[in-house]
Each structure stands twice: as structure tokens, then as C-alpha cells.
Amino acid sequence: MGSLRLSSNLHHHQPWPIHYQPTTTYPFVEGLPCTNKNMLESELYVKVDNFNNKDKNRASNHDARKLVMSSNLMPQPLKGSYVGKKHLQEPGQKLEFVRTLLIDNYDSYTYNIYQELSVINGLPPVVVRNDELAWKDICYYLYEENAFDNVVISPGPGSPTCPADIGICLQVLLDCWDIPILGVCLGHQALAYVHGAKVVHASEPVHGRLSEIEHNGCRLFNDIPSGHNSGFKVVRYHSLVVDVESLPDELIPIAWTSSVDALSFIETHKCDVPSEFAAGSFSRKVKNGSYSPFSHSGKLQREKVLMGIMHSTRPHYGLQFHPESIATCHGRQIFKNFREITEEYWLSSRASFLQERNFDYTACAQIPHVSRLFTEVPRHRQLVNNANGQLYRKASRSNLLENSEGNRSCSGMVDMVNLLHPSNGVKYLKLKWKRFKNLAGQVGGAKNIFCELYGHHKAENTFWLDSSSIEKRRARFSFMGGKGGTLWKQLTFKLSDRSDMTLKGRGFLSVEDAQGSTKSTILDEGFLDFLKKELLSFCYDEKDYEGLPFDFHGGYIGYMGYSLKVECGALSNRHKSGTPDACFFFADNLVVIDHSSNDVYVLSIDEGCTSKTPWLDDTEQKLLSLKTSATKEGEEPNLQALTSSQCQASFLADKSREEYIKDVDKCMEYIKDGESYELCLTTQMRKKIGEMDSLGLYLHLREKNPSPYAAWLNFSKENLCICCSSPERFLRLDRNGILEAKPIKGTVARGATLEEDEQHKLQLQYSEKDQAENLMIVDLLRNDLGRVCEPGSVHVPHLMDVESYATVHTMVSTIRGKKRSDVTAVDCVRAAFPGGSMTGAPKLRSMELLDSIENSSRGIYSGSIGFFSYNQTFDLNIVIRTVVIHEGEASIGAGGAIIALSNPEDEYDEMVLKTQAPAKAVMEFL
């Protein structure tokens, strides 16, 4: 949909900004602490042949612009000062590193390309979105500053025929004839379109599926096999294609599909696929193939799709497929070949290249000031962009020099100067804890412990992160607590009525302390910014938690609602949530159960040093007392449901079956038009329940549908209880700095018999549609982690595993990466929230489309429940399979991923399936 435009408010991690100054091709780094503050001017820079006066005039107005790039993302061997080092290595005359301008078309896979280029080039690329620099500024940095050696144009939603979708890319492709350019997917289509070719609907949209590729052996495919059974299989995400019949003479086809069919991931990677699940059972054939590249004989082959082009006289290349996908074979080799093409082009294009490229390069290894991370800036202002999408207001050249020389801070991830001054709001936390070996098994388990310690008085103001399913080591620890010590407080945040581009993230925060007093304030910068500052204000001794096997030692525990997406890049919220958009307790006292050893831990944090531990002592006595009078096996605690005559009717859906199917059709039209690859459509079911024992309901739900990321939250003041049986982890950051996401895409009901159950499991494992869904979200999560992780560290240890739960089988993947040292816990969440499994891809455009289709706020559903520990670790789930009880009404959200392979009726049935476990628990309990 060409008229849609997305917000340019970027929420990436803060890099070390590098300002390209006049007559210099080396960067100046703004940040902390600098090893060299001198600006060294280079006397040599590349002269661009045939750069005419008109172009020079267009590029001359540059003083108010700056580009920044993340030198923090350099691989370790490149970090430090490079004054006087040549850009060329001897012998062989290879570039020591290649500088790429990566133009982002608002895609959710751009940072997968970013990660690859960071490793291949030896230097991270500079990322700018396609509407953030004017043409004169592009010219200035490419031609006057010679800041880049090549350009990569990312994939993206929409069409190159729509200016809102493609931005500056067409002019770059048309006028930068003398700079190596690689276009991927939308970038490939743009290369064809700008030279006169037609971009048309494909005979069949292909998203998250693979094809074998033939190529003509050109330089871009050096050392890559070709043809059927060659091993060159690539992932495709596209609904539009370049019409090969319309290609002008100057564009040469270089790659195409080697067969008519697209394949599933399993079909291309496993040879033991059962015959009933082999190709043909789930694949769809191209019926009207009209895109036919040149064959080796020079004749056109019908029903094969054009997958790559190159310009006959310019160093410009396009690839329809996605070389950066986790499932593409030889993708890194393609990027390596493009680097070599770039090197060969510059070395051969001018004899003076060795001298012209012998410039000084300075990169001071520094950490930025944390307050600059993820700054919110509305679109269409005069802004420029750093390597990670961070926006800055334009500043004059003199101001840049003044700011960089005179206003440098000297902090790391936490501003240690501020931490030394308690007047700045720093909190010195001291942790004390005790362990009781094997106690959980002796007292009847986690349920008995919670009910004894926190189950009285309707379990008001209590929490329980409940690993009620610990099979196959999916989860190990449960955390529980209630209103307790002097540091306890409750945060309640509600977005303003107009949480759009003009009031991005603005809202109202209410803080209730342990004494019951409440203060309210307006947060202009939003909740996540507030939470980040809170976590950064804590000072602690790591020795306090030595010996603890878990990562939550006290801190904030609660939920973030889906509407907080406006603080993470989304354009706006069309619907207002009836529940608070975020609620958290600050838990200073908690009980932890290790389900692996049955050990029980009690923890308490306080400000300053004190030898008194009254809560620890009191809780110890209660636990020991519980040990002597433990509930007998099978005996239920005294928690009974309150029946009500108003509670007999079943849940009512916000949308009828016909309306939901109509929404699925809308999603599939958007996908067909290239607006999205995958749309995670949802709806809500509701039921008036009146007064009831919410904790009793949760205990019933956890028994019927145990899950590794289950949770109970009771915010009594808000008349809000959350009974969650989620099987899905959104994101975790452990004490070693490892980020982990575990998205679920693909769900099928358990069978009634062992044989039927195994059959259902196999159907899920080999379902082409579910594999495509899962692959798309895996690539999306790789992208999100790639924003905040060290280059080369993002990996997928488990792809498309099938996990079985009480009522369903699910397809789960695991993505991990090493967090960069200059980003905070909240920065990591902001880079990935909401979870991609609840949005689709590309994420920003998909959320915008879904807001236009869905008729109510998702509220807490699709958000996340979990903890932020005071020591900068966190663990958050995805809120699914959940009953939200608010002001006498129970609601259950559910949905599913819509892709090109979807069947509307099947999508409705899957949505209903996902509501059955929580809805049945409510009806049984009532």
C-alpha cells in the first residue's frame, strides 16, 4: 500500500558517533573516554571522475549535516587508534576494511545484512533510512568526503514504484553510476525499475520458502555452485518480481530459479522426509510462470523466476532473494564477493587509487553516554542517522567541533561519576539471602509455598513467575513475592490519549510506595526511558549474589502491554487500552524455587548496610513450619471458586467467524501487494465473571495447562489479575551478557491417541506453511538482536524444534547473541519489542497494517511479563494463553500468523484452538 509511511523514530542502540569532517575520510568519535582528541586532517581524498558541476553544486550545502557510525561494532582487531595506517594492505593491494553505506527501506532484516557486512568488511556499515538524507547530502558523503566504498540497498515493504517506499534509493541507483551498489529484494527491484524494467505481481507470493538457484558464473557468484542439486538454495521473501521481458539491454540476468517449485526448509535440508510429507503435500506450484531468465543456451526458460541482475557498464548488482537469511546457503560468500568486487573496482578504475586512498583513519574505542541511547525523534525533521539508526538533530560544523571537544563524558554503560554522588538519585543496594536444600519437595512444591506465604487476603499485590512446566529443562526457576520491605513500590503507567508521533510514548506514571502514599507524574519520554534510568541508578556489589544460580536478585517484576510499541518505533496506537500499559512491582523480598534441585532461596535487598534481616528470618520460620505441616499429597489448599449466576454463558468473541476470515483475506491482500511478508492477526474473547477467586482460577489453569513461562500477577489497586500459561520466551539477558529469544510459530492440537498425537506432531514438523512462518520470525529476531549484539555473535542453535505441551504441539526456534557492552538491558528490549512472533515482518509496516485491521487494543495480550533485575539482567515472556481479569471481565487474546500460504478457514480454527486451554479453565472453574 504505497500511501503508508512509517515512523522514522528509531530505537536502536547508541553507537560511538563518528563525524565525517570536511577534507577528511577518517572519523572523529564522540563518546567516552577518548584515547586521542586531536583531529587529524587528511590531505588526500578521492577525485571522482566525471562528477559534473551540477552534482557538485547539489552536494555543496553540507555544513549542517553529520553522519555517525558505530565504531563500537568493529571487530576487536580493528578497535583503537588507526592514525597513519594505510587503507590498503601489502602485498595484494587489498583494502584493510570496506566502508559501506547501508540504506534501510524500513525492513526487519536490514540488521542481518548489517551483521554480515560488519564481519566481512572489517568495519560496520553506516545505516541510514531511505528518507533521512537529502540527495545533496548523499552526494557530499559519497563524492566530496569519499566516506564510503560501496552502497547496499536493503529489502523492504512495498514497491519501488512508490516514492514513500523507496525514498532516495532510485536517485542513488540512477546517478551514482561510478560506485559499487548491491540491491537486495526491494533494492534489486529498484535497480531494474530505475532503468525502465517493469515490476509486477509474481504468479505466486513466496515468503519464507527456498529455491535452488542457477547463475551465469559472474563475479558476484564466485566460488558458489549453480543449478539443481548443487547446494545453492536461497530464501525468498517477495510478492513482486521484475518482468524479465521488460529488461533493458543494459541489465543482464545473472541468476534465476532452477525449478518451478519453491521448497520448504525441511525439504531442502533433510533427506529422510516421510513420503506423506514430501514435496507436493504442502507445496504450491507456479501456475502461470512468466518470468524467465536466460538459459545457458541463450533461450528463455518459461516458469523460472529472475533472481539476479547486473548492469552491463556500472558496478551495480541486484538479488531478488535474501542472502542474509539464516537458511540461505552461501550468503556470506556473496557478501564477500561484493567486497572483492568493490576492491577490484577501485583498484582498477584509477591508477592513482593507491595514493588517493592512503588516508588517516582514527577510531577511538569509546562508549557513548547512555542518555543518548534510543532518543525519540519524530519523522520529517532535519535529522541524520548513525550506524544503528540513532537520529540526531542537524548541527553546524562549528557546533560539532565544539561539542565533541568540550563536552565529552567519561562514563561507561553506567555513568560512574554520577554513581559516586548519592544526591543524583543513586541507590546503594545490599543483597542478603539464604538457601534451604531440598525444601520444595518436602513441603509439597511451589504451589504450597505460594499459597502459604502469599495466598491470604485474595493474594493482593503478589507475583509469581511460575515455571509450572519444567520438562526437558525448558525452565528451572520460579520467583514469587508480595508487598514487603521498605523499598517495595508499584509503578502504574498509562499512555496519553494521543500516543502518536507528536506525543511519542508520553504518559502518566503513578508510584505507590511501601507506606501507601501515591505520587503521579507525567513522563514525556515514556516508560522505557524511565525504567532504564531507574535500573542505571542502582549501585551494588557483585559479590552479594555469588553462588546464586539464577539471574533475578530483586528489582522490577510485572508486565509491558502491547501498546508500548509506540516507544519502540511504531507510528501510533489506534486503540486505547483499558488496562494500564505497564505495571511493575519493585520486589525487594522474594522467594525462589530451583526445580532442578528442589532448593528454596529467600532473598532480601535493602539500601545501605544493615545486619538485621527480619523478613528473611520470618520467612524462614514460615517455611520450616510449612515443612512440618505440609499439605498431604493430592490435598487441595483451601481456595475455592465463588460461583455466580452471571457466569454461565461462554466467552464472546470481538469478531465473528465471518469477520475474522474477512480480516485474514485483507491480510493476504496486503501480502500479495508486497506490503508485508507475514501479519500476525489477533482478536479477543471476553466474558463477564463478576466476583471470583482469581488465584484459584490461576491454580486450576496451571494444573490443566502447565507452561515454562507461566505467571500470576495481582495488581489489587487496579482491580487487575493476570493468569498466564505462556509457553513462549520473548527475550532473556543473563549475567554473562547473552541474549536469547525463543519465538513460537506453528501450533497444532495434541492427538487423542498416541498414534494420532505423533501424526499431528509430524504434520507440524513438515508443514511448509509453519516452517515459512517460523523462518520469517527467526530472521526477524536475528535482526532485532543484531541491533544490540556484537558482530558475528548472533546465531541460531535450534531451528524449528517441535515442543509438546498439555494441549498443543508448537514449533520453536532459539536465537542467541552476545550483547554489546555499551547498551543497557532496556535498550535490548526496546530493540525487539513487541516480540516479532506477535507482529509479523517487516515489523513496523506490519504493526501499522494490523492496527488498521483489528478493532480493539490488544492490551496486555501480545506484550511481555517478567523481571528486570537490579543488576541489569531480565527475562520476559510473550503474553499468550492468558486470562486477563480486569474490573469483573475476563479476556483472552488469540490469533495467528497470516502468510501467502494461509487458508482463511484454517486460520480461524487455529485462533480458536489457542483460546481453548485458558477458556476451558475458566469455564471449569466457574
Side-chain angles (χ1 to χ4, degrees):
M1 191 170 71
S3 61
L4 283 176
R5 290 183 64 86
L6 300 180
S7 168
S8 66
N9 294 306
L10 306 185
H11 306 277
H12 308 278
H13 50 278
Q14 171 81 354
W16 299 334
I18 297 178
H19 308 295
Y20 290 99
Q21 304 293 338
T23 71
T24 64
T25 49
Y26 58 89
F28 168 75
V29 183
E30 171 186 274
L32 310 166
C34 190
T35 59
N36 187 337
K37 294 185 179 181
N38 297 324
M39 291 296 295
L40 301 174
E41 293 192 355
S42 170
E43 297 179 354
L44 297 173
Y45 57 95
V46 172
K47 174 185 176 184
V48 179
D49 298 326
N50 300 318
F51 183 58
N52 58 43
N53 290 331
K54 179 180 178 181
D55 288 334
K56 287 182 179 179
N57 291 334
R58 285 187 302 193
S60 62
N61 183 18
H62 56 72
D63 286 343
R65 296 287 178 176
K66 71 174 181 177
L67 271 183
V68 288
M69 71 183 279
S70 173
S71 60
N72 183 51
L73 284 178
M74 290 184 186
Q76 291 296 326
L78 280 177
K79 287 188 177 182
S81 177
Y82 288 83
V83 178
K85 286 196 175 182
K86 290 185 178 182
H87 189 39
L88 293 164
Q89 295 177 324
E90 301 289 350
Q93 297 183 342
K94 295 293 185 180
L95 301 182
E96 184 181 0
F97 46 82
V98 170
R99 305 159 305 163
T100 296
L101 175 63
L102 176 53
I103 302 178
D104 175 24
N105 289 304
Y106 287 84
D107 196 50
S108 286
Y109 300 151
T110 300
Y111 278 83
N112 295 333
I113 298 175
Y114 174 91
Q115 286 271 324
E116 289 293 317
L117 293 177
S118 296
V119 174
I120 295 298
N121 289 353
L123 190 70
V126 173
V127 181
V128 297
R129 284 191 164 166
N130 63 21
D131 58 355
E132 289 175 1
L133 290 182
W135 170 241
K136 62 178 179 290
D137 304 304
I138 294 284
C139 285
Y140 167 69
Y141 289 111
L142 288 176
Y143 291 115
E144 290 192 26
E145 288 285 0
N146 303 295
F148 303 104
D149 301 311
N150 62 28
V151 176
V152 175
I153 299 175
S154 85
S159 166
T161 64
C162 176
D165 294 335
I166 201 63
I168 198 68
C169 298
L170 295 184
Q171 196 158 10
V172 170
L173 287 163
L174 187 63
D175 291 347
C176 297
W177 56 269
D178 51 356
I179 292 178
I181 299 177
L182 173 64
V184 178
C185 200
L186 182 64
H188 155 87
Q189 296 167 7
L191 173 60
Y193 176 71
V194 81
H195 290 288
K198 295 179 181 179
V199 177
V200 297
H201 282 93
S203 56
E204 178 191 36
V206 178
H207 298 108
R209 298 158 69 197
L210 290 83
S211 292
E212 294 183 309
I213 297 298
E214 296 180 47
H215 60 77
N216 68 349
C218 74
R219 187 68 182 82
L220 190 64
F221 296 112
N222 191 41
D223 292 331
I224 296 175
S226 174
H228 184 60
N229 291 330
S230 68
F232 186 23
K233 304 180 183 73
V234 303
V235 175
R236 297 165 59 187
Y237 295 114
H238 65 101
S239 299
L240 308 178
V241 294
V242 175
D243 181 1
V244 71
E245 302 287 356
S246 69
L247 281 180
D249 292 340
E250 61 266 29
L251 294 182
I252 302 170
I254 60 173
W256 48 92
T257 56
S258 63
S259 64
V260 175
D261 289 335
L263 305 173
S264 70
F265 173 79
I266 295 294
E267 287 175 314
T268 62
H269 286 77
K270 293 188 177 181
C271 59
D272 57 348
V273 178
S275 58
E276 63 267 34
F277 304 113
S281 299
F282 294 94
S283 62
R284 299 183 179 184
K285 296 183 180 296
V286 176
K287 298 178 180 179
N288 298 307
S290 59
Y291 310 108
S292 40
F294 289 102
S295 68
H296 296 294
S297 64
K299 296 181 180 179
L300 294 177
Q301 297 178 350
R302 295 292 176 181
E303 297 187 345
K304 293 186 177 181
V305 182
L306 182 66
M307 286 285 112
I309 57 177
M310 64 177 289
H311 197 280
S312 59
T313 61
R314 302 180 177 189
H316 293 180
Y317 298 82
L319 297 173
Q320 180 62 77
F321 60 87
H322 283 240
E324 81 286 355
S325 173
I326 186 63
T328 290
C329 302
H330 306 289
R332 179 164 291 185
Q333 184 63 41
I334 290 174
F335 288 118
K336 181 180 178 182
N337 290 341
F338 184 59
R339 172 188 169 136
E340 293 175 355
I341 288 170
T342 299
E343 292 172 328
E344 293 167 2
Y345 174 79
W346 288 117
L347 288 168
S348 63
S349 61
R350 284 182 293 279
S352 61
F353 179 77
L354 289 178
Q355 290 76 31
E356 292 170 346
R357 282 303 193 192
N358 182 15
F359 60 87
D360 293 330
Y361 183 84
T362 302
C364 301
Q366 300 176 351
I367 298 174
H369 194 284
V370 293
S371 65
R372 299 290 298 276
L373 295 176
F374 295 92
T375 302
E376 295 279 355
V377 186
R379 197 175 190 174
H380 303 308
R381 297 183 184 176
Q382 291 181 318
L383 302 169
V384 292
N385 173 282
N386 69 22
N388 305 294
Q390 179 66 42
L391 294 174
Y392 292 83
R393 295 185 183 278
K394 75 174 188 177
S396 69
R397 186 76 63 185
S398 60
N399 285 340
L400 293 179
L401 290 170
E402 178 184 354
N403 291 338
S404 60
E405 288 296 329
N407 297 323
R408 296 185 180 193
S409 176
C410 298
S411 67
M413 186 173 71
V414 182
D415 192 331
M416 298 307 296
V417 175
N418 288 340
L419 285 181
L420 297 177
H421 300 283
S423 60
N424 291 334
V426 173
K427 305 174 184 67
Y428 296 89
L429 300 184
K430 186 66 178 176
L431 172 67
K432 291 184 172 62
W433 56 275
K434 295 182 179 181
R435 180 180 69 161
F436 305 96
K437 292 185 177 181
N438 303 314
L439 181 62
Q442 300 173 30
V443 300
K447 181 176 75 172
N448 279 2
I449 293 175
F450 184 86
C451 292
E452 173 65 23
L453 297 181
Y454 305 109
H456 309 289
H457 307 294
K458 299 182 179 180
E460 292 183 349
N461 300 310
T462 59
F463 63 86
W464 183 6
L465 300 186
D466 178 19
S467 297
S468 57
S469 172
I470 58 173
E471 297 178 13
K472 300 181 179 179
R473 301 175 63 87
R474 290 172 186 154
R476 178 178 171 184
F477 302 103
S478 291
F479 306 90
M480 58 183 67
K483 189 172 182 177
T486 58
L487 297 183
W488 181 94
K489 58 184 173 182
Q490 178 181 326
L491 307 180
T492 304
F493 178 74
K494 298 181 180 180
L495 287 161
S496 63
D497 290 335
R498 286 183 48 79
S499 55
D500 57 15
M501 291 179 63
T502 59
L503 295 171
K504 186 66 83 167
R506 190 173 190 261
F508 306 93
L509 178 70
S510 173
V511 181
E512 179 186 356
D513 63 20
Q515 290 70 44
S517 63
T518 301
K519 295 182 180 179
S520 298
T521 186
I522 296 175
L523 297 181
D524 289 326
E525 300 301 322
F527 179 77
L528 292 178
D529 186 72
F530 170 85
L531 181 60
K532 179 168 74 172
K533 292 176 182 177
E534 279 284 297
L535 293 172
L536 290 174
S537 72
F538 298 134
C539 189
Y540 51 88
D541 187 347
E542 293 182 359
K543 293 181 180 179
D544 287 354
Y545 49 82
E546 285 183 357
L548 291 177
F550 43 85
D551 288 323
F552 183 46
H553 311 129
Y556 286 104
I557 194 163
Y559 75 84
M560 300 185 302
Y562 178 76
S563 293
L564 281 190
K565 70 182 190 292
V566 295
E567 297 190 27
C568 305
L571 183 65
S572 64
N573 283 315
R574 182 181 179 188
H575 310 289
K576 177 73 174 176
S577 175
T579 54
D581 296 294
C583 266
F584 281 85
F585 298 120
F586 185 85
D588 53 357
N589 298 326
L590 66 150
V591 175
V592 185
I593 299 169
D594 184 344
H595 297 285
S596 176
S597 64
N598 275 327
D599 292 348
V600 176
Y601 297 79
V602 291
L603 291 78
S604 182
I605 53 177
D606 205 343
E607 284 194 274
C609 297
T610 176
S611 58
K612 296 180 180 180
T613 57
W615 183 84
L616 290 180
D617 298 337
D618 180 59
T619 303
E620 178 180 3
Q621 291 303 313
K622 289 181 179 179
L623 288 171
L624 294 177
S625 174
L626 181 62
K627 179 178 178 180
T628 60
S629 59
T631 303
K632 295 180 181 179
E633 186 72 23
E635 183 179 332
E636 289 289 333
N638 187 25
L639 291 163
Q640 299 298 324
L642 299 177
T643 58
S644 170
S645 59
Q646 300 173 334
C647 300
Q648 302 307 314
S650 61
F651 279 81
L652 297 177
D654 282 0
K655 291 194 174 182
S656 66
R657 182 179 187 277
E658 291 72 21
E659 290 172 325
Y660 191 83
I661 288 175
K662 185 177 180 181
D663 288 345
V664 174
D665 289 332
K666 289 180 184 178
C667 291
M668 295 181 71
E669 282 299 313
Y670 283 130
I671 291 168
K672 178 182 177 182
D673 289 339
E675 296 297 328
S676 178
Y677 317 138
E678 176 174 351
L679 288 164
C680 296
L681 179 67
T682 74
T683 188
Q684 301 264 342
M685 295 185 175
R686 308 177 194 276
K687 177 177 175 56
K688 292 292 184 181
I689 58 173
E691 284 289 324
M692 69 174 298
D693 178 5
S694 300
L695 177 59
L697 170 62
Y698 175 69
L699 294 176
H700 182 67
L701 175 63
R702 76 185 294 273
E703 178 184 349
K704 296 296 184 181
N705 193 41
S707 300
Y709 309 110
W712 155 266
L713 293 171
N714 186 354
F715 297 98
S716 306
K717 191 174 181 179
E718 302 299 325
N719 196 10
L720 173 64
C721 293
I722 303 170
C723 304
C724 175
S725 60
S726 173
E728 182 172 1
R729 166 174 282 152
F730 164 46
L731 198 61
R732 177 182 68 178
L733 175 65
D734 68 19
R735 67 182 70 184
N736 298 314
I738 302 301
L739 281 165
E740 179 184 88
K742 293 192 66 176
I744 289 176
K745 268 289 158 265
T747 302
V748 67
R750 298 293 300 264
T753 65
L754 289 177
E755 181 180 359
E756 184 182 63
D757 192 55
E758 184 63 22
Q759 183 73 7
H760 286 190
K761 185 176 180 179
L762 287 173
Q763 286 176 350
L764 176 62
Q765 181 73 66
Y766 296 106
S767 163
E768 182 176 19
K769 173 186 178 293
D770 292 304
Q771 291 171 43
E773 287 182 22
N774 200 281
L775 181 58
M776 281 186 261
I777 300 307
V778 168
D779 278 339
L780 189 155
L781 265 299
R782 290 174 59 236
N783 173 87
D784 291 349
L785 266 62
R787 294 178 174 181
V788 292
C789 286
E790 294 178 357
S793 71
V794 178
H795 61 289
V796 183
H798 303 286
L799 183 61
M800 302 184 193
D801 288 349
V802 173
E803 294 183 356
S804 300
Y805 295 91
T807 59
V808 296
H809 300 291
T810 63
M811 185 176 286
V812 186
S813 295
T814 303
I815 305 97
R816 294 188 185 126
K818 175 68 173 178
K819 182 186 75 69
R820 287 173 38 222
S821 61
D822 65 323
V823 296
T824 69
V826 174
D827 296 331
C828 296
V829 172
R830 197 196 297 267
F833 187 84
S837 61
M838 304 306 295
T839 64
K843 184 185 285 188
L844 294 180
R845 179 68 62 90
S846 295
M847 288 191 294
E848 194 174 335
L849 295 172
L850 291 166
D851 252 13
S852 71
I853 297 172
E854 297 175 0
N855 64 351
S856 63
S857 170
R858 296 188 183 184
I860 299 169
Y861 169 67
S862 297
S864 292
I865 293 172
F867 68 77
F868 289 89
S869 184
Y870 70 79
N871 64 325
Q872 293 279 324
T873 63
F874 65 82
D875 199 354
L876 301 167
N877 74 3
I878 295 285
V879 181
I880 54 177
R881 320 291 197 271
T882 297
V883 182
V884 175
I885 302 171
H886 185 228
E887 297 180 347
E889 180 183 73
S891 62
I892 301 170
I898 312 304
I899 66 171
L901 294 175
S902 290
N903 176 283
E905 289 78 11
D906 291 345
E907 293 297 341
Y908 177 80
D909 293 340
E910 180 179 334
M911 181 273 293
V912 172
L913 168 66
K914 292 172 180 177
T915 68
Q916 285 181 356
K920 184 179 179 181
V922 173
M923 299 308 297
E924 289 177 345
F925 187 73
L926 294 176

